[in-house]
Structures are given as structure tokens and as C-alpha cells.
Amino acid sequence: MSGPRGLDLERLQAYLGSPPLSARMFAGGRSNLTYAVTDGTNRWVLRRPPLGHVLPTAHDMAREHKVLDALSRAGFPAPRPVRLCTDPEVIGAPFYLMEHVDGAIYRDVAALEAMGPEAMRRLVLSLVDTLADLHSLDPQTIGLGDFGKPEGFNERQVRRWKKQLDASRSREVPGIEELHARLAADIPAGGPGAVVHGDYRLDNVLIGEALEVNAVLDWEMSTLGDPLSDVALMLVYAGRPLLSKDGAARTSLSVPGHPSLSELADHYAKRSGRDVSDLHWYVAFAAFKLAVILEGVHYRYVQGQTVGEGFDTVGAMVAPLVAQGHESLDGTLEGN
């Protein structure tokens, strides 16, 4: 029995006691590996850590399983987990299975343009509404009161992502040390804590036919923290290049109908009741965090430890993010 790289189907079948399995890897993942698995009758999605270089505290399958269980029970659109395996001997790494949720993932600019400006606007505002709904949940009530420590969240994040950067060095990145120093010099205390996703963006959600969010995916960075960190990262992602058929680097923000960044922030504020009057530090930190994430992916690529296509271009995405971080601290929200 053969399977995609990183997934031993024969051992998985023995573990589950299931009929013969088939699987395929989902495209687009740059961190944890994600597979569609079926026994011909049932469909699941399996998540496991990446191959090779894995940073401490990252890629924790048990944490992902826990947050999905709590959120799906609370009625939030997150896939329901069905099995957690912490024994690395089964397929070579800890993993979990979750329900398969139907929906489209929008990663191609042409697909976004094809829906038209009105639908594009509705889609993006639905994305914002879902994020505000996540932040409205009471962690204690839904069983996630011990999922993180909101107090001092921003300070810990600045330290953590500097450590992640130091652990993934394969080259010099001009300006990134200076950006970290500027962020560390003026860290906001933050408001009331909430469940934060940690990597919230358009291509991390499954969209239904009515342009509603059927499921939010990829919870590996979730914790309790400052909800404005999610908002800022969503804004940064809106200005990052997506796929396009002509090979040009184009963003979802450039698609007709996409609200401006200030409109997105205002819509979130109205839906959530939170103050978003000064997002500059948060956007700068989001750019720094994403730069570090991509530098880690680049590290795995140069070590030959990535699976799939597109990794050769990741390294080139880091410098523009560093520049955006400095610009935001200087008072410019890119795309506004």
C-alpha cells in the first residue's frame, strides 16, 4: 500500500482497524502536513508535523485537537476532531484525524476576480465577522480557560518569535533585528484576552456556496491572547501575494470589491465592540511574525526537508515583510 510522503497508510490502517485507505496531500500547506484520507465510505483529514526541522513548542497536535474540540462543541465553525494519536511510532509522528468539511479554499486571484466585486466584498466581510465571533467566545465557558495566559501576551510573543528566528537561521536578513528591537521597545499592554487563531487569513478557511465560512482551519498557533494580533495578521495577509495564472505577484487586496484595510478594521470594530484605533504596532509585529514563519519554511527548504511545490519562492517573501513592519511603525498601514 503506497501513500503520499509523510503518511504510512499501511500502519495507519492497522492503527484504525479500517478497510484499505487511500490518501492525498492537500496543496498550500507550508507547515504542518495535511492529508485527505478515506476508506471508501468515510472521509477524514489528517494533520501531522512537518518532516525534519521542528522548532520547540511548535506543531503540537494535542493543542490543535483540544482547541478544535472546544470550538466545534461551542458551535463555532471549526472541524470536529475524531481521533488524537500522540504515539510517534504509528506513522512516524503524532497526528490527529478530524471530520472532512466541504468548502472551497481561495488561493488564486483569478478565482476571486471571477466572483465579481459584490461577492468579493461579501466574502471578505464574512471572514472578518467570523474572526470577531471567535474573539467573542468566553474561553472559560467553552473549556479553554487554561489554553494560554492573556496577561503579558504581546511581550511573550515578541520574545518567542525572536527565539524562533534564532532557531531557524540559514542566512542574514537585513533589517529584521532592527525591527525586533523597535517592537520590543514599545509593547502595548493589550486589552481583554480571547481565543486567538494565530494565523488567520482567507486561505485558512473553507468557504461555502453562499460565501459563508464553513470551517476555520490550521489552529497550530492558537492560544489565549490579544485579539488585535489576529486582526493585524489578517490585514498583513491581505497585502501578501496570492497565486495568479499570469505568474504576477498579486494580492487579494487588489481584487475589485475587496474592502480597504481601514474598512476591514472598522467592520471588525463594529462587530466585536473592540477599540482598533491604533493597529500600527500590531501590524508591524504581524509582519515580523510572518517573516519569521517564512524564514523557518525557507530553512527547511534549504535543508531539503519540505514536501510539495512552491517552497523555492518563500525566501524572497521575507524582505518585503520586514520593510512593511518598519513602515507600519513609522505610521503607514500598507494598502490603506
Side-chain angles (χ1 to χ4, degrees), residues 210-259:
L211 301 182
E212 77 282 12
V213 175
N214 281 355
V216 180
L217 310 174
D218 294 356
W219 291 87
E220 66 189 88
M221 295 183 187
S222 59
T223 188
L224 302 187
D226 191 330
L228 293 188
S229 63
D230 269 346
V231 178
L233 192 57
M234 178 181 64
L235 300 185
V236 170
Y237 272 124
R240 293 298 94 204
L242 294 174
L243 299 174
S244 61
K245 290 183 178 179
D246 59 9
R250 302 178 57 202
T251 70
S252 64
L253 193 60
S254 71
V255 176
H258 195 298

Short mmCIF file of all heavy atoms in Angstrom, two decimals, residues 210-259:
data_model
loop_
_atom_site.label_atom_id
_atom_site.label_comp_id
_atom_site.label_asym_id
_atom_site.label_seq_id
_atom_site.Cartn_x
_atom_site.Cartn_y
_atom_site.Cartn_z
N ALA A 210 -22.75 29.89 -0.31
CA ALA A 210 -23.33 31.20 -0.03
C ALA A 210 -22.28 32.19 0.47
O ALA A 210 -22.62 33.25 1.00
CB ALA A 210 -24.45 31.06 1.00
N LEU A 211 -21.01 31.84 0.30
CA LEU A 211 -19.86 32.67 0.70
C LEU A 211 -19.76 32.84 2.21
O LEU A 211 -19.20 33.80 2.70
CB LEU A 211 -19.90 34.04 0.00
CG LEU A 211 -19.89 33.99 -1.53
CD1 LEU A 211 -19.89 35.39 -2.12
CD2 LEU A 211 -18.69 33.20 -2.04
N GLU A 212 -20.31 31.86 2.94
CA GLU A 212 -20.14 31.84 4.39
C GLU A 212 -18.92 30.99 4.73
O GLU A 212 -18.46 30.19 3.92
CB GLU A 212 -21.39 31.26 5.07
CG GLU A 212 -21.52 29.74 4.99
CD GLU A 212 -22.02 29.22 3.66
OE1 GLU A 212 -22.06 30.00 2.68
OE2 GLU A 212 -22.36 28.02 3.59
N VAL A 213 -18.37 31.19 5.92
CA VAL A 213 -17.23 30.40 6.37
C VAL A 213 -17.74 29.08 6.94
O VAL A 213 -18.38 29.04 7.99
CB VAL A 213 -16.40 31.17 7.43
CG1 VAL A 213 -15.29 30.27 7.98
CG2 VAL A 213 -15.81 32.44 6.83
N ASN A 214 -17.47 27.98 6.23
CA ASN A 214 -17.88 26.66 6.70
C ASN A 214 -16.96 26.13 7.80
O ASN A 214 -17.40 25.39 8.68
CB ASN A 214 -17.90 25.65 5.55
CG ASN A 214 -19.14 25.78 4.68
OD1 ASN A 214 -20.04 26.56 4.99
ND2 ASN A 214 -19.18 25.04 3.59
N ALA A 215 -15.68 26.46 7.73
CA ALA A 215 -14.73 25.98 8.73
C ALA A 215 -13.47 26.82 8.69
O ALA A 215 -12.99 27.19 7.62
CB ALA A 215 -14.38 24.51 8.50
N VAL A 216 -12.94 27.10 9.87
CA VAL A 216 -11.63 27.74 10.00
C VAL A 216 -10.62 26.63 10.27
O VAL A 216 -10.82 25.78 11.13
CB VAL A 216 -11.62 28.76 11.15
CG1 VAL A 216 -10.24 29.42 11.26
CG2 VAL A 216 -12.69 29.83 10.93
N LEU A 217 -9.52 26.64 9.51
CA LEU A 217 -8.53 25.57 9.55
C LEU A 217 -7.23 26.05 10.20
O LEU A 217 -7.06 27.22 10.51
CB LEU A 217 -8.24 25.08 8.12
CG LEU A 217 -9.46 24.74 7.27
CD1 LEU A 217 -9.03 24.41 5.84
CD2 LEU A 217 -10.25 23.59 7.88
N ASP A 218 -6.30 25.10 10.40
CA ASP A 218 -4.91 25.38 10.79
C ASP A 218 -4.80 26.14 12.11
O ASP A 218 -4.42 27.31 12.16
CB ASP A 218 -4.19 26.16 9.67
CG ASP A 218 -4.02 25.33 8.42
OD1 ASP A 218 -4.38 24.15 8.44
OD2 ASP A 218 -3.52 25.86 7.42
N TRP A 219 -5.06 25.42 13.20
CA TRP A 219 -5.10 26.03 14.53
C TRP A 219 -3.80 25.83 15.31
O TRP A 219 -3.78 25.97 16.53
CB TRP A 219 -6.27 25.44 15.32
CG TRP A 219 -7.59 25.88 14.77
CD1 TRP A 219 -8.31 25.31 13.77
CD2 TRP A 219 -8.34 27.04 15.19
NE1 TRP A 219 -9.47 26.01 13.54
CE2 TRP A 219 -9.52 27.07 14.39
CE3 TRP A 219 -8.15 28.02 16.16
CZ2 TRP A 219 -10.48 28.07 14.53
CZ3 TRP A 219 -9.11 29.01 16.30
CH2 TRP A 219 -10.26 29.03 15.49
N GLU A 220 -2.71 25.50 14.65
CA GLU A 220 -1.49 25.15 15.36
C GLU A 220 -0.91 26.29 16.19
O GLU A 220 -0.16 26.06 17.13
CB GLU A 220 -0.43 24.64 14.38
CG GLU A 220 0.07 25.68 13.40
CD GLU A 220 0.94 25.07 12.33
OE1 GLU A 220 0.39 24.64 11.29
OE2 GLU A 220 2.14 25.02 12.53
N MET A 221 -1.23 27.55 15.86
CA MET A 221 -0.69 28.68 16.61
C MET A 221 -1.71 29.30 17.57
O MET A 221 -1.46 30.36 18.14
CB MET A 221 -0.19 29.76 15.64
CG MET A 221 0.98 29.29 14.81
SD MET A 221 1.58 30.62 13.74
CE MET A 221 2.78 29.71 12.77
N SER A 222 -2.84 28.64 17.75
CA SER A 222 -3.89 29.21 18.59
C SER A 222 -3.50 29.20 20.06
O SER A 222 -2.75 28.35 20.53
CB SER A 222 -5.19 28.44 18.38
OG SER A 222 -5.01 27.07 18.70
N THR A 223 -4.05 30.17 20.79
CA THR A 223 -3.80 30.30 22.22
C THR A 223 -4.78 31.32 22.77
O THR A 223 -5.70 31.77 22.07
CB THR A 223 -2.34 30.74 22.48
OG1 THR A 223 -2.08 30.67 23.89
CG2 THR A 223 -2.07 32.15 21.97
N LEU A 224 -4.63 31.71 24.03
CA LEU A 224 -5.36 32.85 24.59
C LEU A 224 -4.44 34.05 24.53
O LEU A 224 -3.28 33.98 24.98
CB LEU A 224 -5.79 32.58 26.03
CG LEU A 224 -6.66 31.36 26.28
CD1 LEU A 224 -7.14 31.34 27.74
CD2 LEU A 224 -7.85 31.31 25.33
N GLY A 225 -4.94 35.14 23.98
CA GLY A 225 -4.06 36.30 23.83
C GLY A 225 -4.81 37.53 23.38
O GLY A 225 -6.03 37.63 23.54
N ASP A 226 -4.09 38.46 22.80
CA ASP A 226 -4.62 39.74 22.37
C ASP A 226 -5.30 39.57 21.01
O ASP A 226 -4.63 39.26 20.02
CB ASP A 226 -3.47 40.76 22.27
CG ASP A 226 -3.97 42.18 22.07
OD1 ASP A 226 -5.04 42.36 21.46
OD2 ASP A 226 -3.27 43.11 22.51
N PRO A 227 -6.61 39.77 20.93
CA PRO A 227 -7.30 39.55 19.65
C PRO A 227 -6.84 40.46 18.53
O PRO A 227 -6.97 40.12 17.35
CB PRO A 227 -8.77 39.78 20.00
CG PRO A 227 -8.76 40.59 21.25
CD PRO A 227 -7.54 40.16 22.00
N LEU A 228 -6.28 41.64 18.87
CA LEU A 228 -5.81 42.53 17.81
C LEU A 228 -4.64 41.93 17.04
O LEU A 228 -4.37 42.33 15.91
CB LEU A 228 -5.42 43.89 18.39
CG LEU A 228 -6.56 44.73 18.97
CD1 LEU A 228 -6.05 46.13 19.31
CD2 LEU A 228 -7.74 44.81 18.01
N SER A 229 -3.97 40.94 17.63
CA SER A 229 -2.90 40.26 16.89
C SER A 229 -3.48 39.50 15.69
O SER A 229 -2.86 39.47 14.62
CB SER A 229 -2.14 39.30 17.81
OG SER A 229 -2.97 38.26 18.29
N ASP A 230 -4.66 38.90 15.85
CA ASP A 230 -5.32 38.22 14.74
C ASP A 230 -5.77 39.22 13.67
O ASP A 230 -5.63 38.97 12.47
CB ASP A 230 -6.55 37.46 15.24
CG ASP A 230 -6.25 36.03 15.64
OD1 ASP A 230 -5.17 35.51 15.32
OD2 ASP A 230 -7.13 35.41 16.29
N VAL A 231 -6.34 40.32 14.12
CA VAL A 231 -6.82 41.34 13.18
C VAL A 231 -5.67 41.86 12.33
O VAL A 231 -5.76 41.95 11.10
CB VAL A 231 -7.50 42.50 13.93
CG1 VAL A 231 -7.96 43.57 12.95
CG2 VAL A 231 -8.67 42.01 14.77
N ALA A 232 -4.56 42.18 12.98
CA ALA A 232 -3.41 42.73 12.27
C ALA A 232 -2.83 41.73 11.28
O ALA A 232 -2.49 42.10 10.15
CB ALA A 232 -2.33 43.15 13.28
N LEU A 233 -2.75 40.47 11.68
CA LEU A 233 -2.20 39.47 10.77
C LEU A 233 -3.12 39.28 9.56
O LEU A 233 -2.64 39.11 8.42
CB LEU A 233 -2.00 38.14 11.49
CG LEU A 233 -1.19 37.08 10.74
CD1 LEU A 233 0.20 37.60 10.38
CD2 LEU A 233 -1.08 35.80 11.56
N MET A 234 -4.41 39.33 9.77
CA MET A 234 -5.36 39.26 8.65
C MET A 234 -5.12 40.40 7.67
O MET A 234 -5.14 40.21 6.44
CB MET A 234 -6.79 39.30 9.18
CG MET A 234 -7.87 39.29 8.11
SD MET A 234 -9.55 39.36 8.80
CE MET A 234 -9.52 40.99 9.59
N LEU A 235 -4.87 41.60 8.18
CA LEU A 235 -4.60 42.75 7.32
C LEU A 235 -3.29 42.58 6.56
O LEU A 235 -3.21 42.90 5.36
CB LEU A 235 -4.54 44.04 8.15
CG LEU A 235 -5.80 44.41 8.94
CD1 LEU A 235 -5.62 45.77 9.62
CD2 LEU A 235 -7.03 44.42 8.05
N VAL A 236 -2.27 42.06 7.23
CA VAL A 236 -0.99 41.84 6.56
C VAL A 236 -1.15 40.81 5.44
O VAL A 236 -0.64 40.99 4.32
CB VAL A 236 0.09 41.40 7.56
CG1 VAL A 236 1.35 40.91 6.84
CG2 VAL A 236 0.44 42.55 8.50
N TYR A 237 -1.87 39.73 5.72
CA TYR A 237 -2.08 38.70 4.71
C TYR A 237 -2.84 39.24 3.49
O TYR A 237 -2.60 38.80 2.36
CB TYR A 237 -2.84 37.52 5.29
CG TYR A 237 -1.97 36.47 5.93
CD1 TYR A 237 -2.15 36.09 7.25
CD2 TYR A 237 -0.97 35.84 5.18
CE1 TYR A 237 -1.36 35.11 7.83
CE2 TYR A 237 -0.18 34.85 5.75
CZ TYR A 237 -0.37 34.49 7.07
OH TYR A 237 0.42 33.52 7.64
N ALA A 238 -3.74 40.19 3.70
CA ALA A 238 -4.50 40.74 2.57
C ALA A 238 -3.58 41.41 1.56
O ALA A 238 -3.91 41.50 0.37
CB ALA A 238 -5.54 41.74 3.07
N GLY A 239 -2.43 41.87 2.01
CA GLY A 239 -1.47 42.51 1.12
C GLY A 239 -0.36 41.62 0.64
O GLY A 239 0.59 42.09 -0.01
N ARG A 240 -0.45 40.32 0.96
CA ARG A 240 0.58 39.37 0.51
C ARG A 240 0.17 38.74 -0.81
O ARG A 240 -1.01 38.49 -1.04
CB ARG A 240 0.76 38.27 1.56
CG ARG A 240 1.36 38.70 2.87
CD ARG A 240 2.76 39.28 2.71
NE ARG A 240 2.75 40.72 2.58
CZ ARG A 240 3.70 41.44 1.98
NH1 ARG A 240 4.71 40.84 1.43
NH2 ARG A 240 3.61 42.74 1.93
N PRO A 241 1.13 38.44 -1.68
CA PRO A 241 0.81 37.87 -3.00
C PRO A 241 0.12 36.52 -2.90
O PRO A 241 0.47 35.69 -2.08
CB PRO A 241 2.18 37.74 -3.66
CG PRO A 241 3.06 38.71 -2.95
CD PRO A 241 2.56 38.74 -1.54
N LEU A 242 -0.87 36.33 -3.78
CA LEU A 242 -1.53 35.05 -3.96
C LEU A 242 -1.13 34.51 -5.34
O LEU A 242 -0.41 35.15 -6.09
CB LEU A 242 -3.05 35.20 -3.89
CG LEU A 242 -3.64 35.61 -2.54
CD1 LEU A 242 -5.14 35.84 -2.70
CD2 LEU A 242 -3.40 34.54 -1.50
N LEU A 243 -1.63 33.33 -5.67
CA LEU A 243 -1.37 32.75 -6.97
C LEU A 243 -2.12 33.52 -8.06
O LEU A 243 -3.20 34.05 -7.82
CB LEU A 243 -1.81 31.29 -7.01
CG LEU A 243 -1.13 30.33 -6.03
CD1 LEU A 243 -1.79 28.97 -6.11
CD2 LEU A 243 0.36 30.22 -6.33
N SER A 244 -1.53 33.57 -9.25
CA SER A 244 -2.23 34.12 -10.40
C SER A 244 -1.75 33.39 -11.64
O SER A 244 -0.60 32.96 -11.71
CB SER A 244 -1.98 35.63 -10.54
OG SER A 244 -0.61 35.90 -10.72
N LYS A 245 -2.64 33.23 -12.61
CA LYS A 245 -2.31 32.43 -13.79
C LYS A 245 -1.20 33.04 -14.63
O LYS A 245 -0.46 32.34 -15.32
CB LYS A 245 -3.57 32.24 -14.65
CG LYS A 245 -4.60 31.34 -14.00
CD LYS A 245 -5.79 31.11 -14.89
CE LYS A 245 -6.79 30.17 -14.23
NZ LYS A 245 -8.00 29.94 -15.07
N ASP A 246 -1.07 34.38 -14.59
CA ASP A 246 -0.02 35.02 -15.37
C ASP A 246 1.31 35.08 -14.62
O ASP A 246 2.29 35.62 -15.13
CB ASP A 246 -0.44 36.43 -15.79
CG ASP A 246 -0.76 37.33 -14.60
OD1 ASP A 246 -0.48 36.93 -13.45
OD2 ASP A 246 -1.27 38.44 -14.83
N GLY A 247 1.35 34.52 -13.40
CA GLY A 247 2.59 34.49 -12.64
C GLY A 247 2.91 35.77 -11.92
O GLY A 247 3.93 35.87 -11.22
N ALA A 248 2.07 36.80 -12.08
CA ALA A 248 2.34 38.08 -11.42
C ALA A 248 2.02 37.99 -9.93
O ALA A 248 1.14 37.25 -9.51
CB ALA A 248 1.49 39.18 -12.07
N ALA A 249 2.78 38.74 -9.14
CA ALA A 249 2.56 38.77 -7.70
C ALA A 249 1.42 39.73 -7.40
O ALA A 249 1.58 40.95 -7.39
CB ALA A 249 3.83 39.20 -6.99
N ARG A 250 0.22 39.17 -7.16
CA ARG A 250 -0.96 39.99 -6.91
C ARG A 250 -1.59 39.58 -5.59
O ARG A 250 -1.47 38.44 -5.15
CB ARG A 250 -1.95 39.87 -8.06
CG ARG A 250 -1.36 40.27 -9.41
CD ARG A 250 -2.36 40.10 -10.52
NE ARG A 250 -3.57 40.86 -10.24
CZ ARG A 250 -4.75 40.58 -10.79
NH1 ARG A 250 -4.88 39.54 -11.60
NH2 ARG A 250 -5.80 41.31 -10.50
N THR A 251 -2.28 40.52 -4.98
CA THR A 251 -2.83 40.30 -3.64
C THR A 251 -4.36 40.25 -3.70
O THR A 251 -4.98 40.74 -4.65
CB THR A 251 -2.41 41.44 -2.70
OG1 THR A 251 -3.08 42.65 -3.09
CG2 THR A 251 -0.89 41.66 -2.77
N SER A 252 -4.95 39.68 -2.65
CA SER A 252 -6.41 39.70 -2.57
C SER A 252 -6.91 41.13 -2.42
O SER A 252 -8.01 41.48 -2.88
CB SER A 252 -6.89 38.85 -1.40
OG SER A 252 -6.47 39.38 -0.16
N LEU A 253 -6.12 41.99 -1.81
CA LEU A 253 -6.49 43.40 -1.63
C LEU A 253 -6.67 44.11 -2.97
O LEU A 253 -7.41 45.09 -3.06
CB LEU A 253 -5.41 44.10 -0.80
CG LEU A 253 -5.70 45.48 -0.23
CD1 LEU A 253 -6.90 45.44 0.70
CD2 LEU A 253 -4.48 46.01 0.50
N SER A 254 -6.00 43.61 -4.02
CA SER A 254 -6.09 44.23 -5.34
C SER A 254 -7.32 43.79 -6.12
O SER A 254 -7.62 44.36 -7.18
CB SER A 254 -4.83 43.89 -6.16
OG SER A 254 -4.83 42.52 -6.54
N VAL A 255 -8.05 42.81 -5.63
CA VAL A 255 -9.21 42.29 -6.35
C VAL A 255 -10.38 43.27 -6.21
O VAL A 255 -10.68 43.72 -5.09
CB VAL A 255 -9.61 40.90 -5.81
CG1 VAL A 255 -10.89 40.40 -6.49
CG2 VAL A 255 -8.48 39.91 -6.03
N PRO A 256 -11.05 43.64 -7.31
CA PRO A 256 -12.20 44.55 -7.22
C PRO A 256 -13.23 44.06 -6.21
O PRO A 256 -13.60 42.89 -6.21
CB PRO A 256 -12.76 44.55 -8.65
CG PRO A 256 -11.57 44.26 -9.51
CD PRO A 256 -10.75 43.28 -8.72
N GLY A 257 -13.68 44.97 -5.36
CA GLY A 257 -14.65 44.63 -4.33
C GLY A 257 -14.06 44.39 -2.97
O GLY A 257 -14.78 44.42 -1.95
N HIS A 258 -12.74 44.12 -2.89
CA HIS A 258 -12.10 43.88 -1.59
C HIS A 258 -12.10 45.18 -0.79
O HIS A 258 -11.63 46.21 -1.26
CB HIS A 258 -10.67 43.39 -1.80
CG HIS A 258 -10.05 42.80 -0.57
ND1 HIS A 258 -9.85 43.52 0.59
CD2 HIS A 258 -9.58 41.55 -0.32
CE1 HIS A 258 -9.28 42.74 1.51
NE2 HIS A 258 -9.12 41.55 0.98
N PRO A 259 -12.64 45.17 0.42
CA PRO A 259 -12.61 46.39 1.24
C PRO A 259 -11.18 46.82 1.53
O PRO A 259 -10.26 46.01 1.55
CB PRO A 259 -13.33 45.97 2.53
CG PRO A 259 -14.12 44.74 2.16
CD PRO A 259 -13.30 44.06 1.11
#
